[in-house]
Amino acid sequence: MSRLLLRAAILAQGGDAAPPPVDLGALWQLDATRRPPGYTLSDSNQTAINTSGGSDYRRWVPSALPILPTDGRRYWEVLCAPGGAGAPGGVGQVEGFMGVVSDAQRDAYNAGTNPITLGSIGWRGSGALWASNSATAVERRTDLPPFGAGDVLMFVLDSATASLWLGRNGLWHDDPASGAPSWTATPRPAFHPQIQGRNPGEGGTLRSLPAQFSYPVPPGTQALGFRDPDLRIHRAHAFVELGWDRALSLGEVEAWCDHGGGPALSAAQASLHIEVDLS
C-alpha cells in the first residue's frame, strides 16, 4: 500500500466522529411520520401499500428526505405493488398517482387533496399527467403510457428547474439525456418523491440506489440516494527528463497541489523523480 493510501486510512480512522472512508449513497425511506391511516410501510420504510385505507384519493406517502435545487438531476424507480384492484375500465392499471410533491404539498398527505397541487407533479396509472401550481388540480397530458401492478416506473427530477422526466419498464417516454421533460412546474425549495395507493392493495417500493435499479442511471444524472464522498483520494504522476545529451545538467521543478474544499478530509502525496545522464 502506498503512503498516500496509508495516510487516507489514518484520516478516515482518526476518531469516533470520522465518517466512513467512502460512502456513495444511502437508501431513501418513505416518511413514517407522514403515513396516512390504512397504509402499511415495510422493507425499511421503502414500500408503502394501501392495506385498509379504502378507495381514497386523499392518501399518499412522501419520502423522508427532500430533493434540493442544489442536488442536480436525480434518478429513482418505483416498483408498483403486485396487487390492487386496478382502475375501472382499465384492467391492471393503477388508479393513483406516482411522482413528486412540493414542500408546500408535503403535509397534505391526509388532508383531502391529491398529490398534484401546489407545484407537485403526478403520473396516473391511466397514462395522464396531472400538475398544478395552485391548489386546484389540472390534467396536463394524456399521452403517457399507462402503468399497473408490477411495472417499474422511472423518474428523473431536476429540482432546480422543477423538470420531471418519466419512463416505464426501461423505455423513456421523454428522454432525460436528449429531450424535453415530461413536465416542468414552478421551482420550489424542495421536492419529495411520493407513492400513492388509491385502491386497496396498491402502492409501491421506492428504489434509490443503483444496486436496486432495474435500469441504468441516465447520463448526467445521479441516483436518488447518492451522497458526495467524505473522503476523496487523488493521485498524480509527473515525469521530468533532464540532460540526455550532456554530461552535466541542472534543472528545477516546482509542483503545487491544492486539496480540500468540499470533502471533509483530504490527503496528498507528491513524488519527484530526476534522472541525470552520468555517462
Side-chain angles (χ1 to χ4, degrees):
M1 180 182 289
S2 70
R3 284 178 294 172
L4 173 63
L5 295 181
L6 286 172
R7 179 56 180 161
I10 292 171
L11 284 173
Q13 299 174 12
D16 293 338
V22 177
D23 186 358
L24 294 180
L27 293 172
W28 273 38
Q29 297 180 323
L30 299 170
D31 192 343
T33 67
R34 290 170 173 81
R35 178 182 60 85
Y39 272 67
T40 297
L41 298 185
S42 61
D43 189 25
S44 299
N45 293 336
Q46 296 174 89
T47 298
I49 304 292
N50 176 357
T51 52
S52 60
S55 298
D56 197 328
Y57 66 86
R58 296 177 299 172
R59 297 184 171 100
W60 39 272
V61 188
S63 65
L65 295 175
I67 305 176
L68 304 176
T70 54
D71 287 338
R73 292 188 179 189
R74 293 299 175 115
Y75 171 80
W76 71 96
E77 295 176 356
V78 171
L79 173 62
C80 295
V91 177
Q93 292 180 0
V94 170
E95 178 71 359
F97 294 93
M98 304 289 185
V100 293
V101 292
S102 67
D103 60 325
Q105 179 86 22
R106 182 185 179 206
D107 286 331
Y109 63 94
N110 193 39
T113 59
N114 267 304
I116 50 178
T117 59
L118 302 179
S120 305
I121 308 171
W123 178 15
R124 195 171 183 181
S126 63
L129 184 147
W130 290 68
S132 176
N133 292 320
S134 68
T136 303
V138 179
E139 187 177 42
R140 298 294 189 178
R141 298 182 62 166
T142 58
D143 62 333
L144 295 170
F147 60 86
D151 282 337
V152 176
L153 309 183
M154 303 141 62
F155 299 89
V156 165
L157 178 72
D158 185 336
S159 186
T161 61
S163 297
L164 185 68
W165 287 261
L166 302 171
R168 183 195 68 174
N169 296 339
L171 296 176
W172 288 103
H173 186 269
D174 302 283
D175 190 347
S178 60
S182 302
W183 192 254
T184 297
T186 296
R188 301 280 177 166
F191 288 92
H192 293 256
Q194 65 83 18
I195 290 177
Q196 184 180 46
R198 187 160 172 167
N199 285 323
E202 291 182 352
T205 300
L206 178 66
R207 296 172 167 180
S208 55
L209 291 178
Q212 300 175 300
F213 294 156
S214 294
Y215 306 105
V217 178
T221 304
Q222 297 283 8
L224 179 65
F226 172 81
R227 293 191 305 186
D228 197 49
D230 294 304
L231 172 63
R232 293 182 181 272
I233 300 175
H234 303 274
R235 302 186 69 175
H237 296 273
F239 298 91
V240 180
E241 297 180 352
L242 302 172
W244 287 107
D245 60 346
R246 296 291 185 273
L248 296 177
S249 298
L250 180 64
E252 181 181 54
V253 177
E254 293 185 1
W256 299 86
C257 299
D258 291 329
H259 291 264
L265 300 175
S266 61
Q269 174 182 309
S271 298
L272 177 63
H273 302 274
I274 300 178
E275 297 181 1
V276 179
D277 183 7
L278 299 177
S279 61

